[in-house]
Amino acid sequence: MRSIPSFSNVLRTDNTRMNVTQNTLKPGQMLTGKVLELYPNQRAAIQLGGSQVVAQLETSLTSKQDYLFQVTSVGDVLRLKKISDSPLQSNRQLSGQIMQQLGLHNNQQLKTLIQQLVSQNIPFTHKDGQALAKLLEQFGGNSTNRELLFVMTKQNFPLTEQVFRSLQAFQSTPIGTQMNQLHQQLAPFNQSNSLLSQLQQQLSLFGGPSPSQAQSMLQQFMYTNQPALEQVLSKAIPDQLSSLQQVTNGERLSNNQTQEFTQQLNQTLNKQLPFQQGERQTFQSFLQRFERMVQQGSVTNTFKNIVQQQAFFQKVMQVIPSQDQQMVQMWLQSSSQPNASQDRQVLTLLQQLHAQQLPQFEQNRLRALLLHLDTANPQSLQIKDQFLHLMKHFVQTSGLQDEAQLAQAVRSGSTTYSTSPLWQAMMTAMSPQDRQVMEQWINQAQPTMTQNQHIAEVMQRINVQQLPQSEQSLVRQLLLSLEASDQVVNKDHFLRLVRQVIQQVEVSGQTREMDHSLKQNLLLANQQHPDIANNQMQRLIQSLTGMQLNMVQDEQAITQQSFQIPGERFGLAKDIRMQFEGKKRQNSQEIDPEFCRVLFHLHLQTLGETMITMSIQKRIVHISVYNDQQGIKALMDTFTPLLKEKLSDLNYQLSSVTQKALSDKEQHAINSDHTAYKPIKREGIDYRV
């Protein structure tokens, strides 16, 4: 496969030196700097990467020379000391003497890696250097491993064997291939084990099973989830309960019945608003206030202006039909006499939309049903809808968001974990400082050994005596499980024990395997059935962890979010890779859709390798398609008018669609097109799918 720098997984590097500021540096870190000007009292202006700082020096220097410095302290004044007496050579080459002063062996692979860090101004410590040397010795010093270790250092990932293996698994084998292999290995065991059966159902959605397998998986899914599906359908689409019962009984739906069922499921899911934390409550509070104002006849233009500024309002406008959008716009723009009838129309519309919103776990179940129906009855969904639902389902259920959701639970009490008696009791029995430590630990994709040990100390300090008797038993059960374990506490193991205790004490069914993410079920299955597909499960767990580590990267004001989804369902041999980049909206985790950049990397059956970049500035869209096939330009020209029309419906303006050769992709993707990555007025795309 060709290597496209913008989609080189965790191995994405830049040719420019890292921009280092005084605020990002920590004591003990080493990096190169150029002495620009000397000042009295051992001070100097030093160029560190793209920034210039004034530092207090511990030793004398020569102006206009490069040195390898170590940070001794930060604060109001940055204090530096030079590692070697002599300046670095003009090309910043490291000598054997400097490697010795760094306390590192002067072998070629390690020296090459440290040289890369020095040349690109990536800060590192003595401890980092020793960890890098150990990992090189363990895994080998080939160029792929060195590049992976370089990115781990640059992104401040823990330099541990576990993180290296996770990132290595993620970037070496397509995740769709791993899922398909595990799906096949579980086939002989799924009938007699509910956990393995659930795992196979989850994996089947992302693969391309045969029609007979697809029908069997649909039947199995219906059998496992019938009560929960009936409950959510009775609220969302009550007139399809008969179709649900028909499929559950093993009867095949007619083509017309299938089309109607999938169409209604699709419409229901498309009405779900991508709420961020707190927005659902804000929407509900707004409706209550709006209803009081309508009853009192006091809806004002000031209130309408406030409505337009709310983050949830833009999301509402994206999901309501175009005729309703026009009605709401007319209501917002009417500034003459109050119109009670118009006010009630808008209120009713918004109340109906609010009533249609489903909890995320119910959305996941409906989307799984929709994808199973489409797999068993091909072409029930359009390719566009297949792709969008598969992408959303993968992000929501693969486990990529497990840590983020659990961290939110600690902060806001909005998920199954936090609403369970165990979790609430544990948080109550901690000091505020320990709760903060726990939140930071949960929110980190791959904590260090030191942080794990800190959490073990936090658990020992839990004051169980202050809890009611019923809650004491829950927390004691968790603590005993931790003590009985023969391994040092780590996050995956800890969360697994939390889930097990919750399962034992809650009968609501909300934390059964059907509501677990793919990664959670993999961890449970790997623990309960270590003799079944052990290596394949571990590798998939590592790959999902690697994707989590690489998923979000923040550099200054710019956020980059990248992931990939299996492509086998669409007949693709390799994963579909996507990357979103831009600046977050103020007070939000979303990226502004008016200023952003989106990239796709595909391996299509007919057109072959294809890379698409979409740059958006002030809602003006420019698209570049990288492909070497003859005749692709004529094909693009055929679809351009339709693309322009559909973008216009979304209030975007298509500027141009151009074709470029893949053979020139490095220059175009990094230099010309990659200009969208530099700090122009960019702000981003709504990533919450």
Side-chain angles (χ1 to χ4, degrees), residues 415-584:
T415 72
T416 303
Y417 294 104
S418 63
T419 56
S420 71
L422 169 62
W423 194 261
Q424 290 184 338
M426 192 165 60
M427 293 297 104
T428 301
M430 288 184 187
S431 68
Q433 294 81 4
D434 284 348
R435 279 198 295 270
Q436 184 178 4
V437 170
M438 176 67 76
E439 175 184 335
Q440 293 171 348
W441 184 67
I442 290 294
N443 202 28
Q444 188 165 333
Q446 199 68 50
T448 64
M449 181 66 72
T450 302
Q451 291 170 318
N452 289 339
Q453 292 171 347
H454 195 176
I455 289 299
E457 296 170 1
V458 166
M459 298 300 294
Q460 292 173 0
R461 290 198 292 268
I462 287 181
N463 186 1
V464 182
Q465 298 297 329
Q466 74 180 65
L467 297 172
Q469 192 65 37
S470 59
E471 295 179 356
Q472 284 187 27
S473 62
L474 296 178
V475 178
R476 288 188 191 281
Q477 186 175 347
L478 175 63
L479 295 177
L480 286 172
S481 297
L482 286 170
E483 289 176 8
S485 173
D486 58 356
Q487 60 180 335
V488 178
V489 63
N490 63 68
K491 190 164 62 175
D492 284 338
H493 177 59
F494 173 77
L495 296 182
R496 190 161 60 240
L497 291 176
V498 169
R499 284 192 293 271
Q500 288 174 353
V501 174
I502 292 175
Q503 280 182 293
Q504 293 169 15
V505 299
E506 292 188 352
V507 295
S508 65
Q510 295 302 313
T511 57
R512 290 181 298 164
E513 289 92 346
M514 70 178 70
D515 295 308
H516 287 167
S517 71
L518 173 62
K519 185 179 178 183
Q520 289 168 352
N521 278 335
L522 284 168
L523 289 165
L524 283 172
N526 196 42
Q527 180 194 35
Q528 296 177 15
H529 307 283
D531 55 333
I532 299 177
N534 180 270
N535 291 337
Q536 196 63 42
M537 282 191 194
Q538 286 187 354
R539 185 168 181 80
L540 185 51
I541 291 169
Q542 290 172 345
S543 293
L544 289 170
T545 302
M547 194 183 300
Q548 286 176 287
L549 288 166
N550 191 54
M551 194 169 176
V552 179
Q553 299 178 15
D554 291 309
E555 294 182 7
Q556 298 180 348
I558 302 302
T559 294
Q560 181 188 100
Q561 301 170 330
S562 59
F563 63 97
Q564 58 198 60
I565 62 173
E568 186 176 352
R569 188 184 181 94
F570 306 101
L572 304 179
K574 298 185 179 178
D575 296 341
I576 301 171
R577 299 156 110 184
M578 289 166 282
Q579 183 172 296
F580 303 84
E581 186 166 292
K583 184 178 179 181
K584 292 180 182 178

Side-chain angles (χ1 to χ4, degrees), residues 179 182-183 186-187 189-206 216-229 361 364-369 372 393 396-398 503 509-525 528-529 537 540:
M179 288 181 170
L182 180 57
H183 181 268
L186 293 178
F189 308 99
N190 69 340
Q191 298 297 328
S192 59
N193 186 286
S194 63
L195 175 57
L196 298 183
S197 173
Q198 175 63 17
L199 252 182
Q200 230 202 0
Q201 289 175 32
Q202 289 175 306
L203 293 167
S204 69
L205 288 176
F206 304 113
S216 173
M217 296 309 299
L218 172 61
Q219 290 296 125
Q220 201 168 353
F221 175 76
M222 301 297 290
Y223 176 78
T224 307
N225 295 273
Q226 182 185 3
L229 286 171
F361 71 90
N364 294 342
R365 191 165 286 121
L366 280 190
R367 188 167 280 113
L369 172 60
H372 273 298
H393 196 67
Q396 290 293 339
T397 66
S398 62
Q503 280 182 293
Q510 295 302 313
T511 57
R512 290 181 298 164
E513 289 92 346
M514 70 178 70
D515 295 308
H516 287 167
S517 71
L518 173 62
K519 185 179 178 183
Q520 289 168 352
N521 278 335
L522 284 168
L523 289 165
L524 283 172
Q528 296 177 15
H529 307 283
M537 282 191 194
L540 185 51

